[in-house]
Amino acid sequence: MFSKILSSATFGIDAYLVEVETHSEKQLPSITIVGLPDSAVKESKERVIAAIKNSGIEFPLRKLTINLAPADIKKEGSSFDLPIAIGILAANSVVNVDSLDDIVILGELSLDGTLRKVKGALPIAVEARQKGIRKIILPIESVKEASIVDGIEVYGFESLNEVIDFLNGDKTAEPIKTDKDSIFAEVNTYQLDFSDVKGQENAKRALEIAAAGGHNILMIGPPGSGKTMLAKRLPTILPPLTFEEALETTKIHSVAGILPKDKALITERPFRSPHHTVSDAALIGGGTFPRPGEVSFAHHGVLFLDELPEFKKNVLEVMRQPLEDYKVTISRSKMSLEFPANFMLAAAMNPCPCGFFTDPNKECTCTTSQIQKYMAKVSGPLLDRIDIHIEVPAVKYNELSSDTKGEKSEEIRKRVVAARKIQLERFKGIKGIYNNADMGTREVRQYCKLDNASSELLKMAMTKLGLSARAYDRILKVSRTIADLENSDKILTHHISEAIQYRSLDRDIWGH
């Protein structure tokens, strides 16, 4: 007897269909799984045997050969448990074979026959629809994310018995649908707000400019000055996610298995803050069977690196590719995977090892060589990709004790959205450029033209403040964003002078 079940697996953040073929014959009882299964798939036979028996079904004492096709791609994970179980039962006439032609089945089985959540339900539903499959059967906990996809019927069940009854026509079930409009109505449910931050008006302004132009930002200041507090509120002023962005972000979280089970879609921009002990594989992605890293989990959101010089040098160096290409390429001998990684980098650091080099109230105990060594931990090529450096001084007591509420995130976000619309219009038709931070040298020359007064001011700043050559394009990009926030077609002198303030690490005071 023979049966064929359609299932699916993920490769990167996309999915591909897998045919689970089962051959059953009268010989000494055994189960063999072929088709490059990993250890989790090989172990599935033990779970399947126990699940079938504990569901009150007699397990066939026959020789069973199970093939996972295509056989040249390595299969991993526990989501093949359910299709293998259904395939065995179909090959032995327990399940109606006629009902299996147009259904993708996946799910992990527990030993008592109940179904557990699987990874990658959303990209699998997208792939099934593209291949013309009409139905998909999943564990009930994975249904929400898959049901966001139009044009496919998604059924959720709690146990193996329920799936068998449904396939045999003994049980009816309604496909589950998720209303996208109601999900997006809940947008901007952040608990944090910029109005919570006392003082730090300069830093707030710098973050608004960073959000408006998509610029990476580095905050330098003593411990307790509010750098982390400010960074956590950065997503609250970024433009809302579009449906396409939300779908792409959700796919990454779904493949990694970190999407909350009560969420069908990620509608808020992600905020990721890995500890400085993070490995390069955890930050960028990798592993024997590559999975996304923190830079991909922050896709369309914010990646916050606190205590930047404390990160290992090799970890910071691997950040250069995603910051430049907005994607991560992971190569292995038999495969090459790409994960999207288009994020805003927000970083924070102390000005010196003790933290009080720029603090007027506390004395710094570090020597000049210690400060230089500390600052040198952040390499020039990484700093090249950070447009804004802002000093965040310690907050004064009268600002801390003041009852005055700062401006709300909602008001700042309106200005950011307006500036982004100007940029989208400006770069319409230019591939890969959506905001000012994306501009290359050619676009900078075209869209950041200066009048004589502005040009003279920039020339004087470069000379007098000892600004490095790399600061030149950064200042032009940031001044273009400041002009957009004011809805100004031209870059004026006050735009340039404000942008110059945001290159503090390029000045000679740091001992460069």
Side-chain angles (χ1 to χ4, degrees):
M1 292 286 288
F2 172 80
S3 72
K4 185 169 75 174
I5 308 289
L6 279 179
S7 190
S8 187
T10 55
F11 186 79
I13 65 161
D14 296 313
Y16 62 96
L17 292 183
V18 175
E19 292 180 355
V20 180
E21 301 170 332
T22 306
H23 174 67
S24 173
E25 58 182 321
K26 283 186 178 178
Q27 281 192 27
L28 284 173
S30 67
I31 300 179
T32 306
I33 300 176
V34 296
L36 282 184
D38 75 344
S39 55
V41 179
K42 287 175 183 172
E43 288 170 358
S44 69
K45 60 186 177 186
E46 308 301 335
R47 290 192 295 273
V48 166
I49 292 169
I52 289 175
K53 288 179 177 177
N54 288 323
S55 298
I57 302 164
E58 187 178 342
F59 192 85
L61 297 175
R62 301 167 73 92
K63 182 185 177 184
L64 301 167
T65 306
I66 296 151
N67 178 42
L68 306 176
D72 60 337
I73 302 175
K74 192 170 177 66
K75 319 299 185 307
E76 62 126 21
S78 54
S79 59
F80 293 111
D81 290 3
L82 182 58
I84 287 172
I86 297 296
I88 290 169
L89 297 174
N92 290 279
S93 306
V94 178
V95 171
N96 180 9
V97 181
D98 300 333
S99 63
L100 301 174
D101 295 341
D102 198 22
I103 304 177
V104 167
I105 300 174
L106 63 153
E108 180 186 332
L109 284 169
S110 53
L111 298 184
D112 63 355
T114 55
L115 296 177
R116 290 196 174 117
K117 186 179 178 182
V118 293
K119 297 177 184 178
L122 175 60
I124 285 167
V126 171
E127 175 67 11
R129 183 188 65 181
Q130 287 174 349
K131 289 291 191 287
I133 309 295
R134 293 188 302 109
K135 298 176 184 174
I136 182 168
I137 288 175
L138 291 161
I140 195 74
E141 287 184 3
S142 300
V143 160
K144 262 201 167 182
E145 57 182 285
S147 62
I148 206 77
V149 181
D150 292 325
I152 188 164
E153 295 175 9
V154 180
Y155 296 90
F157 297 103
E158 292 184 349
S159 69
L160 175 61
N161 274 332
E162 286 184 11
V163 176
I164 294 167
D165 291 343
F166 173 73
L167 293 173
N168 286 337
D170 300 330
K171 174 187 173 73
T172 56
E174 289 297 315
I176 294 165
K177 280 307 295 173
T178 300
D179 184 9
K180 290 184 291 220
D181 295 332
S182 65
I183 291 173
F184 268 85
E186 300 166 11
V187 167
N188 203 14
T189 55
Y190 292 107
Q191 301 300 311
L192 304 172
D193 198 278
F194 262 94
S195 60
D196 304 331
V197 183
K198 302 280 189 182
Q200 301 298 14
E201 297 307 319
N202 282 350
K204 288 181 192 173
R205 169 69 175 167
L207 285 167
E208 179 182 337
I209 294 165
H215 303 289
N216 299 322
I217 185 168
L218 173 61
M219 293 177 280
I220 311 118
S225 57
K227 302 185 293 293
T228 305
M229 191 180 187
L230 285 160
K232 283 183 177 176
R233 283 154 180 76
L234 182 54
T236 68
I237 63 171
L238 289 171
L241 280 173
T242 63
F243 179 69
E244 288 73 24
E245 287 175 333
L247 205 61
E248 199 172 32
T249 305
T250 307
K251 277 169 81 172
I252 298 166
H253 287 70
S254 173
V255 163
I258 61 171
L259 187 71
K261 65 179 179 182
D262 58 333
K263 271 204 169 187
L265 201 66
I266 290 172
T267 55
E268 302 288 15
R269 293 194 180 271
F271 178 85
R272 302 293 297 187
S273 179
H275 192 258
H276 60 75
T277 55
V278 69
S279 68
D280 49 359
L283 186 67
I284 296 297
T288 48
F289 198 95
R291 71 189 294 275
E294 291 290 339
V295 295
S296 296
F297 297 146
H299 186 54
H300 293 312
V302 176
L303 178 71
F304 177 52
L305 302 183
D306 202 1
E307 305 292 350
L308 188 64
E310 301 299 332
F311 283 80
K312 295 188 195 83
K313 193 135 192 164
N314 65 307
V315 171
L316 292 180
E317 289 306 305
V318 293
M319 288 283 296
R320 286 156 61 178
Q321 188 213 359
L323 285 171
E324 197 72 38
D325 303 333
Y326 307 130
K327 64 184 179 185
V328 172
T329 306
I330 299 168
S331 298
R332 295 287 180 269
S333 57
K334 293 181 181 176
M335 69 172 92
S336 182
L337 283 178
E338 272 189 6
F339 293 115
N342 187 358
F343 57 89
M344 254 187 79
L345 175 65
M349 63 184 284
N350 294 336
C352 65
C354 77
F356 301 112
F357 177 50
T358 55
D359 194 331
N361 302 316
K362 293 189 180 177
E363 191 178 344
C364 173
T365 58
C366 306
T367 64
T368 306
S369 62
Q370 282 176 323
I371 294 170
Q372 287 179 352
K373 191 176 176 184
Y374 181 75
M375 299 303 286
K377 287 183 180 179
V378 184
S379 69
L382 181 63
L383 282 177
D384 267 349
R385 290 160 177 82
I386 299 176
D387 293 349
I388 297 175
H389 313 151
I390 181 73
E391 290 178 53
V392 184
V395 185
K396 293 172 185 170
Y397 175 77
N398 58 352
E399 288 177 332
L400 274 175
S401 58
S402 170
D403 292 332
T404 311
K405 277 270 185 184
E407 193 175 18
K408 284 186 172 289
S409 292
E410 193 180 343
E411 296 303 314
I412 303 171
R413 181 184 249 188
K414 285 176 186 172
R415 296 196 294 270
V416 167
V417 170
R420 287 280 184 115
K421 277 183 182 170
I422 292 169
Q423 292 161 51
L424 282 172
E425 192 63 36
R426 176 183 298 133
F427 303 123
K428 192 187 283 182
I430 304 177
K431 192 177 178 183
I433 299 181
Y434 306 101
N435 52 47
N436 291 334
D438 295 338
M439 284 193 287
T441 307
R442 185 189 302 169
E443 289 77 31
V444 169
R445 299 290 171 267
Q446 185 177 348
Y447 298 112
C448 302
K449 290 186 172 126
L450 304 180
D451 57 24
N452 287 337
S454 301
S455 186
E456 280 300 313
L457 176 64
L458 184 51
K459 180 182 175 184
M460 186 176 71
M462 297 286 291
T463 311
K464 291 278 177 70
L465 296 175
L467 295 178
S468 63
R470 68 170 173 244
Y472 180 77
D473 276 5
R474 306 289 160 190
I475 289 170
L476 288 177
K477 286 184 186 183
V478 172
S479 58
R480 178 69 268 169
T481 301
I482 297 167
D484 289 342
L485 280 166
E486 291 184 8
N487 202 12
S488 169
D489 290 336
K490 294 181 179 177
I491 297 173
L492 305 173
T493 51
H494 68 279
H495 301 146
I496 288 285
S497 62
E498 185 177 356
I500 289 165
Q501 296 173 37
Y502 303 134
R503 294 301 300 179
S504 61
L505 278 191
D506 288 315
R507 296 178 205 159
D508 286 341
I509 59 162
W510 302 98
H512 291 338

